[in-house]
Amino acid sequence: MTRRLTAAALAALIVAAALASLGGTAGAKSKPMKKTVTMVDNYYSPSKLTITVGSTVTWKTPVDIGDSHDVKLTKKPSGAKFSFISPSSGKKVTKTTFQSPPYASGPAKFAVTGFTKPGKYHMICTFHETEMQMDITVKK
């Protein structure tokens, strides 16, 4: 009987060590992240981003931005919602899509919180649709 208990305890330790090496326990949720994307002359930096559900992404502009730029969500997983400060009212709103106001000078920023659904999100600058695009991958 003692051997069985020792073997079971050893097996439990091995499983616990394996889970710890993976960075957590099975089924654990990742913490929301805060990431910044810079809108520079005709591109987003970075143009690809991976975040967790509930994260906040802030798009910012430098002082000398050059052309006008914005951020418009064009593709998202079904049912995704976002929170941000409405440029027109100055109040926090929750919507199923977003588009920042155009920025022609900086510094300025537009922060979006939530990203409630895992999946792929695609954004564009409506002034430079073919060259200024970015993708965000949201994971659990």
Side-chain angles (χ1 to χ4, degrees):
M1 175 115 163
T2 303
R3 279 192 157 165
R4 285 186 192 164
L5 286 175
T6 304
L10 181 59
L13 284 172
I14 291 170
V15 169
L19 287 174
S21 71
L22 294 174
T25 58
K29 289 187 176 183
S30 297
K31 291 183 181 181
M33 307 162 83
K34 291 184 177 184
K35 297 288 185 174
T36 300
V37 175
T38 303
M39 292 186 276
V40 288
D41 209 11
N42 298 2
Y43 66 95
Y44 297 112
S45 180
S47 63
K48 293 184 188 293
L49 196 60
T50 299
I51 59 174
T52 55
V53 167
S55 294
T56 298
V57 177
T58 300
W59 285 267
K60 69 176 190 170
T61 62
V63 173
D64 182 19
I65 192 171
D67 292 336
S68 292
H69 300 296
D70 65 358
V71 181
K72 180 180 180 181
L73 178 70
T74 59
K75 293 181 187 171
K76 66 179 175 72
S78 178
K81 292 184 180 178
F82 314 91
S83 295
F84 54 92
I85 303 299
S86 169
S88 58
S89 70
K91 296 180 181 179
K92 184 174 181 178
V93 295
T94 300
K95 304 239 179 194
T96 57
T97 190
F98 62 84
Q99 180 173 351
S100 76
Y103 299 109
S105 63
K109 66 181 180 177
F110 180 72
V112 175
T113 303
F115 291 91
T116 58
K117 299 282 183 177
K120 303 271 184 189
Y121 296 74
H122 185 75
M123 279 69 55
I124 63 165
C125 170
T126 60
F127 299 98
H128 310 96
E129 292 182 20
T130 57
E131 62 213 290
M132 198 167 174
Q133 303 183 23
M134 78 170 294
D135 293 300
I136 296 178
T137 301
V138 177
K139 298 188 176 200
K140 288 184 181 180

